[in-house]
Amino acid sequence: MALPSRNDPGGARIDRADVRVDVYRDSGPGGQHRNKVETAVRLTHHPTGTVVTAVDSRSQHENRRVAWQRLQTALDVREAGRRHANLNAERAETFERSRSFTWTAWRDQVKTDSGLRTSMTKALAGRLDPLLTD
């Protein structure tokens, strides 16, 4: 992805060389115009395998514009999902690390192996940030 598309307000950049554009006659109700004129547009983004279509309008130009917008939206959603999954994986690593906590009753203190400390009252209240910062 490199060059901006014409309808791209931001987000992922679409390299038009990576997109195959197909125009075809849409089937279904709509009479002679729909069956004889190639107004339907299908865009296939090769790097991701994303396919979008637009058959809403009788104008190929309008369908082409709508299809590019749908492709941009689909790629933005895909990218947001990928970023979200990466963030969740990073967070999961934090909790998968082996941790041991020691409670010293006479001090009312919880301590980690690395020396981080907090009071048992705070730990039981859910304020574990002082213990998880290493």
Side-chain angles (χ1 to χ4, degrees), residues 65-86:
R65 185 185 63 77
V66 169
W68 279 104
Q69 287 175 345
R70 288 179 181 170
L71 180 62
Q72 182 67 51
T73 301
L75 293 178
D76 289 344
V77 167
R78 180 184 176 104
E79 179 64 20
R82 187 190 63 77
R83 282 193 309 262
H84 185 68
N86 288 344

Side-chain angles (χ1 to χ4, degrees), residues 25-56:
R25 296 176 187 160
D26 191 30
S27 62
Q32 294 297 316
H33 180 79
R34 189 170 206 152
N35 299 332
K36 289 186 175 183
V37 180
E38 295 180 340
T39 58
V41 177
R42 178 187 311 118
L43 300 178
T44 306
H45 188 250
H46 292 291
T48 61
T50 304
V51 178
V52 296
T53 60
V55 296
D56 305 332

